Amino acid sequence: MKFGTIFSITLLVQLVVSVELDINDKDSICEAAKSVVQGELNYYEGTKYGGTVGMFSNPYYWWHAGEAFGGLVDYYTFCESDNKTLEKLIYNGMYHQAGDDYNYIPSNQSMTEGNDDQGVWGMAVMQAAERNFTDPKDHSWLEMTQAIYNTMNSRWDTKHCNGGLRWQIFTWNSGYDYKNSIANGCLFHIAARLARFTDNKTYAKVAEKVWDWMEDVGFATYVDDELVVYDGAKIGGNCTDLTKSKWSYTYGIFLSGCAYMYNYTNDNTWLDRVDEILRSSDFFFKDGYMFEHTCGGGSDCNNDERTFRSLFSRCLGLTSILAPSTKDTISTWIDTSAQGAASSCSGGTDGITCGEDWSKGSWDGVYGLGEQMSALEVMMALIVKTPLTADTGGSSKSNVNAGTNTGSEENKNEIKVTSQDKAGAGVLTAVVLLIITGGSIWMLF
Ligand SMILES: *[C@@H]1O[C@H](CO)[C@@H](O)[C@H](O)[C@H]1NC(C)=O
Ligand SMILES: *[C@@H]1O[C@H](CO)[C@@H](O)[C@H](O)[C@H]1NC(C)=O
Ligand SMILES: *[C@@H]1O[C@H](CO)[C@@H](O)[C@H](O)[C@H]1NC(C)=O
Ligand SMILES: *[C@@H]1O[C@H](CO)[C@@H](O)[C@H](O)[C@H]1NC(C)=O
Ligand SMILES: *[C@@H]1O[C@H](CO)[C@@H](O)[C@H](O)[C@H]1NC(C)=O
Ligand SMILES: *[C@@H]1O[C@H](CO)[C@@H](O)[C@H](O)[C@H]1NC(C)=O
């Protein structure tokens, strides 16, 4: 066969199988999302022989799984709530990664897990509570979110920079000397959601504490009349030497956290903050299409950065529901971006692999878990539903003391080394040595 013939056949095949999306038709949205989910689950290890339940394939980390499951809970709820196979897949994956203490600090992730990673899992588990997703009998999704909240809040550190969480939980991980917006944003966001779900003001007070500190330390600050959220700073200079990069998921987490607080308190101070962050979120759109601005929105973005729009999209959807006056602005962004995402899902050998550049009108050659989950969540934002509370039918059981009596070994920066972890312990020793000798943990990976 001549090259020309192969080329035109390929072209023909691609034209036929790209993902179709009518943004005004729920069935069409769910059908488009189904093929995106199919692509996403190609990366899932938990249903493959010998694969770890709840994990996605290399090079995707534990926290990526947390991101992915939050989106899958919504997809299941909005589109396929009669699919027992999918329900089981999500349930098993999320529950299996809870760890021995049911607080999402599994002992074998201590080489990778920071406060932000635990927090993103917290968002997924809270999503399950708010969607009334099938609860585990012994440890409800709500209870596990409370365990995540309690363990995170117990790490609040007033010794440096007058408050805030460090990026890392464990001393040996690179970034333990850094405080950042995403870690603190996760605590803020989860506290706001727990306040609304349980109607308990203590959580709202903690959300306020985090917000006030963010402003005090200057991670959230006004520049030319615009509220911006920076990445973070090292504790060394009392958090004054700011890293000023801006990331969409950080904006999303604060934006929707403020929307939860507004919805819970009915206080216009929170609505003002919602409006201000919404206005500065304009940074993440070009010609109406969402893009990860700071890394260029293309193949230069790394595996983490290429997933951020999934959380950002989910948070925009939640905000549009909880602070209804934002709906017009957000819908305009989501409509354009979802349409763009769908037309990017026309690549790969299956012809439905999603891309990174949503403004191109076709696949840009970039692919991965991040592209699949971002496309999925921007589509789900088109049909987002009101998150439940305990008063509106959310049946997940509360345990305010979850996570407070587990010896919190992570706070003492020790880990239990069980016999299965022996191999890991060797690696750990090597890493500690590397850190002591001034090397970086990342050299290992
Ligand atoms: C970590 O622990 C879980 C739960 O015990 C186990 O299923 C898994 O295989 C372990 N390894 C990884 C890489 O998750
Ligand atoms: C149920 O979900 C699984 C896993 O996503 C999928 O393979 C299957 O096609 C779904 N079944 C139906 C009837 O949609
Ligand atoms: C350190 O930073 C915190 C937070 O910005 C501030 O409240 C505090 O006054 C600073 N302390 C010193 C000694 O500069
Ligand atoms: C809170 O969210 C609900 C659900 O969308 C909405 O009906 C209600 O108006 C919101 N509350 C406020 C204060 O905007
Ligand atoms: C949530 O799930 C529980 C238990 O399955 C059920 O009794 C309750 O009606 C559900 N709530 C809603 C709003 O569907
Ligand atoms: C509210 O939450 C706080 C913090 O977890 C807890 O100490 C308190 O007992 C809770 N109050 C109620 C009424 O459940």
Side-chain angles (χ1 to χ4, degrees):
M1 212 185 284
K2 283 211 208 94
F3 175 75
T5 325
I6 298 171
F7 181 74
S8 44
I9 289 173
T10 312
L11 200 66
L12 189 71
V13 168
Q14 293 209 343
L15 284 176
V16 173
V17 291
S18 80
V19 170
E20 300 282 338
L21 174 68
D22 175 353
I23 56 168
N24 298 311
D25 176 12
K26 183 172 177 246
D27 291 344
S28 166
I29 294 164
C30 285
E31 200 162 315
K34 189 176 175 66
S35 50
V36 176
V37 166
Q38 191 189 313
E40 177 169 339
L41 291 179
N42 284 337
Y43 296 94
Y44 186 55
E45 287 288 294
T47 46
K48 292 181 187 148
Y49 181 73
T52 302
V53 175
M55 290 289 282
F56 287 75
S57 60
N58 212 12
Y60 300 106
Y61 284 106
W62 184 72
W63 89 276
H64 293 118
E67 263 185 309
F69 280 112
L72 289 171
V73 166
D74 273 358
Y75 172 70
Y76 167 82
T77 308
F78 305 161
C79 293
E80 270 197 55
S81 56
D82 55 353
N83 186 335
K84 295 280 172 219
T85 309
L86 182 60
E87 179 190 22
K88 218 171 163 62
L89 183 153
I90 298 171
Y91 178 97
N92 288 344
M94 287 184 48
Y95 198 44
H96 190 77
Q97 291 299 329
D100 293 343
D101 295 329
Y102 300 95
N103 57 5
Y104 287 85
I105 312 175
S107 59
N108 61 6
Q109 288 299 334
S110 54
M111 301 311 298
T112 75
E113 181 172 358
N115 276 301
D116 51 345
D117 307 58
Q118 191 190 13
V120 166
W121 269 100
M123 292 172 70
V125 180
M126 187 72 212
Q127 200 80 16
E130 288 177 349
R131 300 298 181 210
N132 212 33
F133 186 71
T134 321
D135 245 326
K137 272 200 205 71
D138 293 331
H139 302 274
S140 74
W141 302 121
L142 180 62
E143 173 177 339
M144 291 193 285
T145 312
Q146 289 166 314
I148 290 169
Y149 161 88
N150 283 325
T151 50
M152 286 182 80
N153 194 36
S154 75
R155 296 182 202 115
W156 187 259
D157 163 40
T158 50
K159 287 201 200 79
H160 305 92
C161 316
N162 206 26
L165 294 180
R166 294 168 185 259
W167 178 18
Q168 296 300 328
I169 300 171
F170 301 102
T171 49
W172 51 78
N173 283 333
S174 153
Y176 185 67
D177 59 348
Y178 192 72
K179 291 196 174 178
N180 61 4
S181 295
I182 188 62
N184 287 281
C186 285
L187 177 60
F188 169 71
H189 177 99
I190 290 168
R193 287 172 84 154
L194 286 174
R196 178 177 172 276
F197 192 96
T198 64
D199 191 12
N200 179 332
K201 292 197 170 55
T202 308
Y203 297 123
K205 287 220 173 68
V206 167
E208 243 168 88
K209 169 186 82 175
V210 181
W211 180 270
D212 291 346
W213 179 77
M214 284 289 295
E215 287 195 336
D216 184 33
V217 76
F219 290 1
T221 191
Y222 289 87
V223 177
D224 299 332
D225 218 24
E226 202 169 86
L227 183 57
V228 298
V229 185
Y230 291 138
D231 189 75
K234 285 202 171 179
I235 60 175
N238 194 31
C239 293
T240 52
D241 189 9
L242 293 169
T243 301
K244 293 195 171 173
S245 27
K246 304 178 212 169
W247 301 108
S248 66
Y249 73 148
T250 314
Y251 275 66
I253 281 166
F254 277 102
L255 173 71
S256 51
C258 290
Y260 273 96
M261 286 300 283
Y262 167 64
N263 199 268
Y264 174 56
T265 62
N266 212 351
D267 177 345
N268 278 323
T269 311
W270 289 109
L271 184 59
D272 290 344
R273 288 169 183 160
V274 167
D275 289 339
E276 284 171 344
I277 303 174
L278 193 65
R279 208 150 48 85
S280 55
S281 295
D282 182 56
F283 181 75
F284 303 104
F285 294 86
K286 187 169 63 184
D287 304 327
Y289 297 98
M290 191 186 295
F291 79 126
E292 199 58 47
H293 194 154
T294 298
C295 55
S299 55
D300 287 346
C301 298
N302 67 29
N303 282 333
D304 285 339
E305 292 155 3
R306 280 160 48 202
T307 70
F308 291 168
R309 286 180 302 176
S310 69
L311 279 178
F312 185 44
S313 297
R314 192 193 310 163
C315 289
L316 284 171
L318 288 168
T319 302
S320 71
I321 290 253
L322 295 166
S325 59
T326 62
K327 190 168 177 18
D328 286 351
T329 304
I330 291 177
S331 291
T332 309
W333 283 342
I334 295 294
D335 288 357
T336 306
S337 300
Q339 197 76 72
S343 50
S344 89
C345 297
S346 58
T349 47
D350 58 3
I352 50 171
T353 296
C354 301
E356 179 70 18
D357 181 354
W358 292 349
S359 71
K360 193 174 191 290
S362 60
W363 188 49
D364 63 352
V366 183
Y367 63 94
L369 179 61
E371 283 72 29
Q372 296 304 128
M373 59 191 191
S374 297
L376 172 64
E377 297 229 35
V378 76
M379 290 176 189
M380 291 301 96
L382 293 165
I383 49 173
V384 61
K385 290 185 179 165
T386 306
L388 297 174
T389 67
D391 284 342
T392 58
S395 63
S396 202
K397 247 184 39 222
S398 169
N399 173 5
V400 291
N401 295 320
T404 56
N405 54 1
T406 48
S408 58
E409 70 270 20
E410 77 285 358
N411 293 331
K412 290 181 247 132
N413 296 305
E414 293 161 9
I415 50 168
K416 284 182 287 196
V417 179
T418 62
S419 52
Q420 306 108 279
D421 289 336
K422 284 270 164 65
V427 176
L428 177 61
T429 311
V431 170
V432 170
L433 278 173
L434 267 177
I435 291 171
I436 291 169
T437 56
S440 158
I441 174 176
W442 303 117
M443 290 166 61
L444 272 169
F445 297 114

